[in-house]
Each structure stands twice: as C-alpha cells, then as structure tokens.
Amino acid sequence: MKLNSIPSHIAVIMDGNGRWAENQGKKRTEGHREGANAIDRLLDVALEYKIPNISLYAFSTENWKRPITEIQAIFGLLVEFIETRLDTIHAKGIRIHHSGARNKLSKTVLSKIDHAMAVTKKNKKLTANFCLNYGGHEEILSNFSRVMSARKAKKEALDKPISSKEFEKYLYTSPLPPVDLLIRTAGEQRISNFLLWQSAYAEMYFTSTLWPDFGRTSLEEALQFFDSRKRKFGGLL
C-alpha cells in the first residue's frame, strides 16, 4: 500500500481484550493473551511501513481498580511477553521504552522492563513504548517536580517560566516526538487519560475492531485515514 504520509509516532489504546474473550466463551485472561499476539502483528507491520515510534497503553493508573486476579494475570503475561519475545524483538531492531510511574510495580516486573530496555537501547528501527502504570494527569503533575528537581541540581532559577521544550524533556515519553495518530479499538471514542500532552494535535482514529482482532488490514486502514487528513496545527493551508 502506497502512502504519502507516515506518522512518526502512533499511540494505541488497546481496548477489547475482555469483550473478545467473552464473545469466544473464554476467560478474560485469554483475551489478554490474544492481545499480546496482536502486539506482535502490530510491530511487524509497523516495521514494514518504517513507523519509528509506537506507544501502547498496556496498563493505566486506573486499571488498579480491576480484580486482583486479572491484574496478576496481566502482569504475568507482560513478564512472559518479555521473556519469550525479547530475543526476537532485539533481532528485529526494536527498542523497548517504558512510560509510567515505577511505584506499585513489583521488583520482578521492573527488573524485566529494565533488562529489556538495556538490551535494546541501541536499536533504531522502531521504538515500542510500553505505557505501564501510566496516567496522563499523573505524568503532567509529576513532571513539574522533575523539572524543578533538575533546575535545583543545575542551580537554575525556580521561578522562571517553563518552556515547552524544557517541560517535554522530562516527560516519561522523552525523547519520543509528539503523537501523530492515536488509535483506539473496540468502539469507544475517548482517550482515557492517555498521553494528554503528547496528543495535543494527534489525529484520532476509532475502530469497532476488538484489539485481539487488530491486524495488518486494521493498521493499514488507520494509516489510510491518517494519510487522508490535512494537518493544519491551528493554522491555514
């Protein structure tokens, strides 16, 4: 498929794992497992289209409200995903990045994430940014503290205005660029506290496809939608 414009950063709200499982008469955990397979497909197609950055909403700060058994299953699958796929991901030239608060995450999960980031840190074909224990409000609020701490360390004035460039330097997603295309699956049409700062001028694409069913055709339809948009960024064409 030929496209005139390719997004430099795609953000994905991977919704519908539970509904997919219920439709199949399976446990919700099986839906999350199939969702992990959909991530594999997404990354492979992204590599083909030379999309440099993808952010995946893996677990939000609000997801802690879910039943403990489901939370444990999700993190168990995350650990399994890293253990079984890291060598392949590394061989494909994919860099792993983590966006989100480290508090509440277990030592096992953090060690797996840190290991994956260390192994893949020099890869340049695609950055796969896993947003884990992530919330947009929390990121923005805590980012002010990170900016102030950096200023104190540099002995800079604390009361001078904060520029966008300075602020973005300390976001969880740094050094990723702003989001060009935000995709949400499963028919919902809201961004659910995801990459609020980064998505200020993102094109929004909503599809009824449940995340475990999201594949090549689904991503190509989203890319065609993006390619059709006239992006003005508040100006006039």
Side-chain angles (χ1 to χ4, degrees):
M1 184 178 68
K2 185 177 180 180
L3 297 168
N4 295 315
S5 180
I6 293 290
S8 62
H9 187 181
I10 295 177
V12 187
I13 301 175
M14 306 177 291
D15 199 7
N17 290 346
R19 274 172 278 174
W20 181 92
E22 290 169 5
N23 292 344
Q24 301 289 325
K26 299 179 179 180
K27 295 180 180 179
R28 289 178 61 85
T29 53
E30 289 303 310
H32 293 306
R33 184 174 294 278
E34 287 300 320
N37 293 333
I39 292 175
D40 283 334
R41 295 194 296 270
L42 177 73
L43 296 181
D44 283 344
V45 179
L47 284 168
E48 289 184 31
Y49 281 96
K50 297 182 179 180
I51 298 165
N53 303 286
I54 288 184
S55 289
L56 303 164
Y57 210 2
F59 192 88
S60 74
T61 50
E62 290 75 29
N63 286 157
W64 293 106
K65 301 173 185 176
R66 294 188 178 188
I68 186 63
T69 52
E70 183 171 351
I71 292 173
Q72 291 172 339
I74 290 171
F75 282 111
L77 284 170
L78 173 69
V79 170
E80 179 184 317
F81 183 90
I82 294 174
E83 289 178 342
T84 59
R85 293 167 167 87
L86 182 58
D87 288 346
T88 301
I89 286 173
H90 183 38
K92 291 178 179 178
I94 299 172
R95 181 174 75 96
I96 300 296
H97 184 83
H98 170 232
S99 290
R102 292 174 67 88
N103 66 308
K104 289 191 175 183
L105 298 181
S106 70
K107 291 182 179 179
T108 299
V109 170
L110 286 173
S111 66
K112 294 295 181 183
I113 292 171
D114 291 343
H115 175 66
M117 291 174 62
V119 168
T120 63
K121 65 180 180 180
K122 294 184 179 180
N123 293 341
K124 298 183 183 300
K125 288 187 177 180
L126 167 64
T127 294
N129 176 35
F130 286 85
C131 298
L132 189 68
N133 195 23
Y134 176 88
H137 287 168
E138 185 276 333
E139 178 184 31
I140 291 170
L141 291 172
S142 63
N143 202 54
F144 282 104
S145 296
R146 291 190 286 275
V147 171
M148 290 299 104
S149 295
R151 284 187 175 184
K152 286 180 181 178
K154 298 176 183 178
K155 296 182 179 180
E156 296 178 350
L158 302 182
D159 58 349
K160 71 176 182 180
I162 301 174
S163 67
S164 294
K165 183 178 180 180
E166 180 184 17
F167 190 76
E168 290 169 354
K169 182 179 179 181
Y170 298 98
L171 290 170
Y172 290 138
T173 53
S174 179
L176 274 64
V179 175
D180 292 318
L181 173 63
L182 188 147
I183 300 170
R184 180 163 190 159
T185 60
E188 303 295 347
Q189 297 189 19
R190 55 182 178 271
I191 60 174
S192 297
N193 200 24
F194 185 44
L195 298 180
L196 301 179
W197 178 280
Q198 298 87 338
S199 299
Y201 279 99
E203 301 297 328
M204 305 290 183
Y205 180 79
F206 302 106
T207 174
S208 60
T209 301
L210 302 178
W211 176 246
D213 292 327
F214 196 93
R216 171 183 292 276
T217 300
S218 303
L219 180 57
E220 288 181 342
E221 288 173 350
L223 292 175
Q224 286 178 321
F225 163 81
F226 179 81
D227 196 40
S228 72
R229 302 296 296 163
K230 294 181 179 179
R231 308 187 74 201
K232 297 184 289 186
F233 299 97
L236 297 175
L237 291 178

